[in-house]
Amino acid sequence: MFLDCGRKLEKTHACTGRTCKLHAERSWEGQDANRGSSSCKRMYPPSRKDFISLTLSDPHSHAYNNGKHRRQSCWRKWKQLSRLQRSLILFLLALLLILGLLSYPSITEQWRGKQSPLDAQLTCTRSESVSNLHGAGFLEETQTSSFIIFRLFLFVVSTGPADRLEAVRDAFRHAWKGYKDHAWGHDELKPISKSFSEWFGLGLTLIDSLDTMWIMGLKEEFAEARRWVEKELSFDKNVDVNLFETTIRILGGLLSCYHLSGDQLFLEKAKDLGSRLMPAFKTPSKIPFSDVNIGKGTAHPPRWTSDSTVAEVTSIQLEFRELSRLTQEPQYQEVVNEVMKMVHTLPGKHDGLVPMFINTNSGQFTHKGVFTLGARADSYYEYLLKQWIQGGKTEDDLLEDYLQAIEGVKKHLVRKTGPNMLTFIGELSHNRFNAKMDHLVCFLPGTLALGAHNGLPGDHMDLAVQLMETCHQMYVQMETGLSPEIAHFSLQSSDGRDVVVKPADRHNLLRPETVESLFYMYRFTKDTKYRDWGWDILQNFNKYTKIPDGGYTSINNVRDPVNPGPRDKMESFFLGETLKYLYLLFSDDMKLLSLDKYIFNTEAHPLPIWPSPPK
Ligand code: DMJ
């Protein structure tokens, strides 16, 4: 069934995509779905069987039962170790046991002596006293060697970069297993009910995941998915798709796969899709409609408005420009450049900050006076910088708009919390400051760092470092160690907590923005704390969102580690972005998708930075 997105828009305010996919309620689940515009998803209500499966797996499942889970996670850790590591651990454990047995007589003798057990224990911690006891020389030696062995043991089991890479690969395989078993060829996995949901009916998760598999070296999985693209993927379908989402996930995914693999199939598919998306630009203003029917070649705005979302119309440029470069057909680049040209001179900006809506008839901003770096505006800022880099840093208007916007951010949106002076980005609504930050805004540290790496002011990097800390705090201050969708910040020092979460904002959709920024921050600073933060996040995803049989799920409540409330939905960006950025964060190979050669689109699909033209 299709949901009435227009009606739901009025009902729900929160947005969940970096460019707000309007909320629609799935009443049978009693929770929000993060989709919107008129390309709202077609959802299948769970069957009776699905419901039973959900009920059984929730409170008693391995994933949400702490005790059992801990045992399971030890076992999983054990299974993650290589054969050599396992043998070494067993050998060391055996050695420890032997040494323990050997030292047993002297310890018991000592305890049976004049001292009370408590005294003896205290004495044993101080080596000079120990050396005065009977048999102390042997005991001391035993303790020293046990200590060394124990340290060795810790070294062996501690997680180095290779273990972390393998752990991300395992997470990907696990997510993929769920998708393959229950949602193959469909848009998204519902891992608890072991079913799927459709949005566009284009195998969204499969396509979003392709380049991640390539990067992780999962050759078999990649080959199998490629066969599906070759045999099953058809864009000749009477279906309404959202221009932005289809561009960043599918067009971006196909283009990136073409570059990584050199396989012509992906370019052919990208060309077919690109040409089918073009009707979206046939509007009075040339600002594209949000939705296109890729089978019929018709386009339209959402049912309830003739506005498009600013981030949506300004975050399709990397992909369309690249398509023109590859096909030598200028029309793709022309239509998206026209949008940027119009927005460049448009009235209604506030020191470079843009409103959230733009009208497809008049080409003017609407709902003026509200400014955010979160949903509906976010990737506008990201794509200003990235287009400038993609094109060889020659398009001055893009740079000018980006630099002005960051000044606007600093002037109007940056504040510090009262309790711990955490720097955050708030929102402005008709000159009223709101200390609210979407998790989506956590893309910004990465983007700022990328700009600084490309020669932009050093204070952009300072801000990046501070915001990265705040995004990290949005995770660590939660009981599950996972960030809420939206955080509110305390401005008074007497408030106690920096991060406050409203009941409606406590969900986590497995989003990538923080790990995305951690990847950039690590690449540019080599500060290993960023890797450690990413590692903690991966472990918490494993602890609270992993479904035993396969797949990961969004959760309802990051503040409740006992019942985080699985939502039965694995977003395609978890495989396309979150796990990819984690993998790149832990990889020591700095040449793997070098940031001097590639630019990542907003769905983490790498596209080449254009070679400069011969002089
Ligand atoms: C992704 O589709 C993209 O990163 C987009 O820019 C924002 N929303 C999701 C991830 O959160």
Side-chain angles (χ1 to χ4, degrees):
M1 90 185 218
F2 277 98
L3 297 168
D4 181 351
C5 298
R7 193 163 45 79
K8 304 297 183 197
L9 173 66
E10 284 153 29
K11 278 191 167 179
T12 61
H13 161 71
C15 299
T16 58
R18 184 175 292 173
T19 55
C20 187
K21 292 87 185 187
L22 310 179
H23 268 198
E25 287 167 3
R26 285 188 285 163
S27 52
W28 57 86
E29 290 180 346
Q31 63 193 37
D32 291 338
N34 75 321
R35 295 296 175 245
S37 82
S38 57
S39 60
C40 199
K41 298 187 72 165
R42 182 187 299 153
M43 310 294 283
Y44 297 103
S47 62
R48 182 171 292 273
K49 182 167 150 258
D50 294 335
F51 178 74
I52 290 168
S53 153
L54 173 71
T55 313
L56 285 176
S57 60
D58 179 13
H60 309 299
S61 76
H62 298 307
Y64 301 103
N65 176 326
N66 267 349
K68 260 190 187 177
H69 176 81
R70 236 174 277 128
R71 282 200 299 278
Q72 276 231 329
S73 96
C74 282
W75 177 238
R76 263 201 302 274
K77 265 202 148 182
W78 176 251
K79 285 203 298 184
Q80 279 168 13
L81 298 174
S82 67
R83 189 170 295 173
L84 178 71
Q85 285 173 319
R86 287 187 209 176
S87 317
L88 252 171
I89 291 169
L90 289 175
F91 171 73
L92 291 173
L93 281 176
L95 209 63
L96 267 176
L97 190 73
I98 293 166
L99 288 171
L101 286 174
L102 285 175
S103 64
Y104 179 72
S106 26
I107 293 174
T108 44
E109 197 175 321
Q110 166 196 322
W111 281 2
R112 266 193 234 112
K114 302 126 216 160
Q115 296 175 301
S116 74
L118 181 64
D119 286 345
Q121 264 175 307
L122 287 171
T123 315
C124 282
T125 58
R126 301 206 311 267
S127 56
E128 19 52 91
S129 310
V130 169
S131 64
N132 292 332
L133 295 170
H134 174 70
F138 174 72
L139 181 59
E140 194 176 15
E141 259 172 45
T142 310
Q143 282 184 328
T144 315
S145 30
S146 303
F147 180 71
I148 292 170
I149 291 168
F150 183 65
R151 291 301 295 265
L152 254 170
F153 172 79
L154 278 185
F155 176 77
V156 172
V157 295
S158 72
T159 42
D163 303 308
R164 290 179 175 187
L165 275 184
E166 201 42 47
V168 189
R169 233 188 253 126
D170 279 349
F172 184 92
R173 283 196 200 99
H174 186 82
W176 189 247
K177 178 183 183 308
Y179 177 74
K180 197 176 154 186
D181 288 351
H182 308 296
W184 183 252
H186 297 286
D187 282 344
E188 284 148 341
L189 169 69
K190 297 178 74 167
I192 296 172
S193 53
K194 301 191 192 322
S195 59
F196 58 85
S197 55
E198 295 291 28
W199 189 1
F200 311 135
L202 296 175
L204 197 60
T205 296
L206 188 147
I207 301 176
D208 225 0
S209 307
L210 278 166
D211 58 3
T212 307
M213 294 188 270
W214 182 271
I215 292 162
M216 290 183 179
L218 300 173
K219 291 187 186 151
E220 276 171 31
E221 291 86 345
F222 180 87
E224 195 177 6
R226 185 212 176 271
R227 275 196 295 280
W228 183 88
V229 172
E230 186 184 19
K231 302 246 157 24
E232 308 288 335
L233 178 63
S234 166
F235 297 122
D236 191 10
K237 267 189 154 177
N238 177 6
V239 60
D240 275 355
V241 304
N242 174 280
L243 170 68
F244 163 74
E245 297 291 355
T246 307
T247 300
I248 65 166
R249 300 189 198 212
I250 303 185
L251 184 58
L254 292 168
L255 288 172
S256 144
C257 272
Y258 168 66
H259 280 295
L260 295 175
S261 66
D263 187 334
Q264 206 63 25
L265 167 73
F266 297 115
L267 182 57
E268 291 310 319
K269 290 286 177 190
K271 278 198 243 176
D272 184 23
L273 177 60
S275 66
R276 289 171 186 276
L277 293 175
M278 287 297 274
F281 296 87
K282 285 193 192 127
T283 67
S285 66
K286 298 189 182 157
I287 297 295
F289 287 133
S290 58
D291 297 275
V292 197
N293 186 305
I294 51 173
K296 288 193 197 155
T298 54
H300 58 88
R303 248 175 289 162
W304 57 93
T305 176
S306 54
D307 288 351
S308 284
T309 293
V310 169
E312 291 197 356
V313 301
T314 56
S315 313
I316 48 181
Q317 278 67 12
L318 292 176
E319 300 81 356
F320 274 76
R321 283 156 50 114
E322 179 59 9
L323 189 58
S324 271
R325 193 180 74 93
L326 290 172
T327 58
Q328 296 295 304
E329 293 175 25
Q331 69 270 24
Y332 305 112
Q333 171 147 1
E334 281 166 8
V335 287
V336 293
N337 279 355
E338 181 63 26
V339 176
M340 295 315 293
K341 222 169 90 194
M342 287 172 69
V343 171
H344 178 63
T345 52
L346 214 54
K349 288 192 221 170
H350 188 40
D351 291 326
L353 303 176
V354 289
M356 292 148 75
F357 296 98
I358 189 164
N359 190 270
T360 49
N361 292 321
S362 67
Q364 299 295 312
F365 288 127
T366 63
H367 301 78
K368 293 185 198 159
V370 182
F371 303 100
T372 174
L373 262 277
R376 294 184 179 279
D378 49 5
S379 44
Y380 161 72
Y381 304 100
E382 178 189 350
Y383 268 38
L384 284 175
L385 178 75
K386 288 184 172 177
Q387 286 175 82
W388 178 68
I389 296 172
Q390 178 191 44
K393 306 189 206 174
T394 55
E395 295 150 289
D396 295 339
D397 286 356
L398 293 168
L399 177 62
E400 189 189 307
D401 287 351
Y402 179 73
L403 289 173
Q404 206 195 357
I406 299 306
E407 287 313 302
V409 168
K410 288 196 278 182
K411 188 164 163 195
H412 301 291
L413 305 182
V414 173
R415 291 277 198 294
K416 282 189 193 295
T417 60
N420 288 303
M421 303 289 283
L422 292 180
T423 304
F424 69 95
I425 307 280
E427 297 183 351
L428 207 60
S429 180
H430 306 287
N431 293 321
R432 229 186 100 251
F433 182 77
N434 189 356
K436 159 184 178 275
M437 177 166 145
D438 296 350
H439 181 271
L440 292 167
V441 181
C442 289
F443 80 94
L444 190 60
T447 297
L448 287 168
L450 180 65
H453 176 72
N454 279 280
L456 302 189
D459 68 343
H460 287 203
M461 190 62 187
D462 300 339
L463 182 57
V465 170
Q466 291 168 30
L467 290 172
M468 193 74 261
E469 171 69 42
T470 304
C471 291
H472 167 60
Q473 289 299 326
M474 283 165 63
Y475 283 73
V476 295
Q477 293 196 14
M478 298 301 115
E479 287 77 353
T480 55
L482 293 174
S483 168
E485 176 71 4
I486 299 171
H488 285 78
F489 291 93
S490 309
L491 295 170
Q492 310 299 328
S493 47
S494 55
D495 282 348
R497 284 188 104 104
D498 294 290
V499 185
V500 177
V501 188
K502 302 203 167 164
D505 307 330
R506 294 180 305 196
H507 49 292
N508 179 296
L509 305 183
L510 313 170
R511 283 198 190 278
E513 291 75 19
T514 294
V515 294
E516 167 185 355
S517 283
L518 288 172
F519 156 66
Y520 285 101
M521 296 303 285
Y522 179 73
R523 280 268 170 120
F524 298 136
T525 66
K526 299 288 178 311
D527 187 335
T528 51
K529 79 176 176 200
Y530 297 125
R531 280 183 158 180
D532 295 339
W533 294 355
W535 178 238
D536 290 344
I537 292 174
L538 176 63
Q539 285 177 306
N540 290 323
F541 277 138
N542 278 334
K543 195 161 172 192
Y544 297 108
T545 72
K546 190 171 179 178
I547 301 302
D549 294 342
Y552 288 75
T553 179
S554 307
I555 55 172
N556 277 325
N557 190 356
V558 295
R559 309 229 47 183
D560 188 348
V562 177
N563 182 18
R567 279 194 159 188
D568 197 15
K569 168 71 155 296
M570 183 174 78
E571 298 279 351
S572 78
F573 52 67
F574 182 63
L575 294 88
E577 294 194 71
T578 311
L579 294 176
K580 183 188 289 150
Y581 282 129
L582 280 166
Y583 186 82
L584 293 171
L585 170 67
F586 300 140
S587 170
D588 280 333
D589 182 0
M590 297 299 133
K591 292 204 182 106
L592 179 59
L593 300 171
S594 154
L595 291 170
D596 295 317
K597 297 210 169 102
Y598 288 90
I599 197 82
F600 286 82
N601 87 340
T602 192
E603 188 74 7
H605 298 303
L607 300 172
I609 294 174
W610 298 343
S612 15
K615 295 199 174 131

